[in-house]
Amino acid sequence: MARLRHWPRAAALLCAILVWKPVFIGAAEHYNAEVFGSAIRVYAVLRGINAALSVAKETEIGVGLVGSITAQPAMVLDPIDETVARVSDLVFVLAATSGMLEIAVAPLAQLGAVAAAIGFGLLYLPVIAPAAAGVVSGLGRTLAGFGLMLALALPLGYGFGGQLGAYWTEDLRAEAERTLQGSADTIEAAIETVPSTPPAEIADRPAGPPRDEAQDGWLGSLVSPMLDGYDQARGAAADAFAGVAAGVGSAGQAVSDAVPDIAAVQARGSEIFESSLTLVAIYVFRLFVLPLVLLWILTALARRAIAQR
């Protein structure tokens, strides 16, 4: 039993060594670097899709029917564009989190080792005043448990958790990235940006030969105004029908030229949603769920061991 009384001193010395030489840091940093690199690649692909869809949405076409009409037929892609933009923002947050963890694991582990060394030191030092023994012992156990969580459980949770996460989700992550990249390539190939087309102009209808009122006599002078009005009405009707036909034809051609493969882009929308949300779920599982579960288990074991001493 006498030897067991000195275990806090040995634990404090080990924690002091961990301040200068943290353990499990390399594996944790490597794990977070992998997640960061993957998330950045996915973010770049999503932003590329978002840019291509935004350009397609802004494409205008112009058609002349009765007047000048402009339209943006690719606005039907707006739901896909908005969803991709929001998912890309979420992926960016996850990438920033993994990058922060890659940098912060080592300093946090060293800070935890300092706190644990102080806590174990408080457990070993004799207390002169018996009334303060409980306070000092409680403070020592709290610092020791918190310090061990940062010094050992945090890097071990991300290092060991990274291996488990890669074993369970790597194939799914790689497949989702390939699907997302394939969808991005298809969308970039389908969307062709063209300048806005001016309204189609209708050529003036050629005028008929002039009427010779001198040869028509007095009867021609009476009938000629009615015939001229009939010719003008018939010409106006012909021009209107020609304008409608030309306008409809130019509208269809403008839509085809501006966004030739809207159906192909919409067909890829479900693949983009599924693959991007799958990747987000994998990142959340790797960055938060699995490491926090391991962190909770290791912290509970460490506190139980300290409390039994």
Side-chain angles (χ1 to χ4, degrees), residues 232-248:
Q232 291 176 0
R234 186 179 61 179
D239 289 343
F241 282 113
V244 171
V248 172

Side-chain angles (χ1 to χ4, degrees), residues 3-27:
R3 294 181 179 180
L4 293 178
R5 296 176 183 176
H6 299 286
W7 75 267
R9 181 175 63 178
L13 292 176
L14 290 176
C15 290
I17 295 174
L18 291 178
V19 174
W20 306 105
K21 190 65 175 178
V23 294
F24 309 121
I25 296 298

Side-chain angles (χ1 to χ4, degrees), residues 130-277:
V135 176
V136 173
S137 177
L139 179 61
R141 285 186 169 85
T142 300
L143 286 176
F146 179 74
L148 288 178
M149 180 188 70
L150 293 179
L152 295 177
L154 179 65
L156 184 60
Y158 277 100
F160 182 65
Q163 299 296 326
L164 289 178
Y167 175 77
W168 285 331
T169 63
E170 182 61 27
D171 293 339
L172 183 60
R173 182 202 61 80
E175 180 63 26
E177 278 196 26
R178 285 194 297 269
T179 302
L180 184 62
Q181 185 63 57
S183 300
D185 295 338
T186 300
I187 287 178
E188 291 175 1
I191 295 177
E192 298 176 3
T193 57
V194 295
S196 299
T197 58
E201 299 293 338
I202 302 173
D204 295 334
R205 185 175 178 268
R211 302 184 63 88
D212 190 355
E213 296 182 1
Q215 295 179 357
D216 292 341
W218 65 271
L219 182 60
S221 64
L222 294 176
V223 178
S224 178
M226 292 185 293
L227 294 177
D228 289 341
Y230 171 74
D231 289 340
Q232 291 176 0
R234 186 179 61 179
D239 289 343
F241 282 113
V244 171
V248 172
S250 62
Q253 185 62 37
V255 172
S256 178
D257 292 340
V259 276
D261 289 322
I262 287 183
V265 176
Q266 290 177 323
R268 289 287 186 172
S270 60
E271 294 183 359
I272 295 173
F273 298 155
E274 182 179 355
S275 58
S276 59
L277 293 179

